[in-house]
Amino acid sequence: GQNIDQPTEMTATEGAIVQINCTYQTSGFNGLFWYQQHAGEAPTFLSYNVLDGLEEKGRFSSFLSRSKGYSYLLLKELQMKDSASYLCAVKDSNYQLIWGAGTKLIIKP
Amino acid sequence: GAVVSQHPSWVICKSGTSVKIECRSLDFQATTMFWYRQFPKQSLMLMATSNEGSKATYEQGVEKDKFLINHASLTLSTLTVTSAHPEDSSFYICSASEGASGNQPQHFGDGTRLSIL
């Protein structure tokens, strides 16, 4: 079966750095996406990785290792507004998006 | 960037009512649109994939006669919840992508919060 694992919940301090991990087992791979979802709102697109390595976008970076079936989202200089759920999703060989259950990130002052 | 508009944002209605939700891609053509449902504190659940000009593909366990999907144009898909009951109360979210290729993200509408009394 297809499976995406990410931690259920993480806590971090304002101004710090946090890394949210995602491991996947899918039938084929056509890219990995990270989304942010604030409570009661729809998800918003953060990043896309299809080749191994690190993609940096401001305070957010996303890393991919296809051989390990592993990705992480790195958030730097955390702000209170970063409190949200972070969803990892993988496109399989049929270009269908497989979603992880999301990681709820709690930022404390 | 790509914008998806979803309407209405909130619906409160009596049991037995049918509710129509619209999803529009405002600045791009969406060959494929997706309909999700999300219960409180749970993950996104894909209900169906909507392809312009053809029948929607429903996920296992989703009743196609209960959740009617129409994707009549490249910029509009609608979801109708027929004869809604309290157990259908949920957050319904649509998304669209500009193409099926790997690097095209899904862009989400703001969601519709449906409450059936």
Side-chain angles (χ1 to χ4, degrees), chain A residues 16-29:
Chain A
I17 299 173
V18 71
Q19 177 175 311
I20 302 174
N21 296 325
C22 170
T23 57
Y24 62 88
Q25 293 175 311
T26 56
S27 55
F29 179 82

Side-chain angles (χ1 to χ4, degrees), chain A residues 27-54:
Chain A
S27 55
F29 179 82
N30 277 302
L32 185 144
F33 298 82
W34 283 97
Y35 284 82
Q36 179 190 60
Q37 185 177 25
H38 284 100
E41 298 180 11
T44 54
F45 169 69
L46 287 179
S47 68
Y48 168 75
N49 294 71
V50 68
L51 300 176
D52 291 350
L54 189 68

Side-chain angles (χ1 to χ4, degrees), chain A residues 1 8 11 27 48 55 71 79 85 88 90 103:
Chain A
T8 304
T11 302
S27 55
Y48 168 75
E55 294 281 341
S71 172
Q79 302 174 9
S85 287
C88 173
V90 172
T103 298

Side-chain angles (χ1 to χ4, degrees), chain B residues 39-58:
Chain B
F39 293 103
K41 298 184 179 181
Q42 295 188 21
S43 60
L44 287 174
M45 290 175 47
L46 179 66
M47 298 175 67
T49 302
S50 166
N51 295 295
E52 186 266 337
S54 64
K55 290 183 179 180
T57 302
Y58 289 82

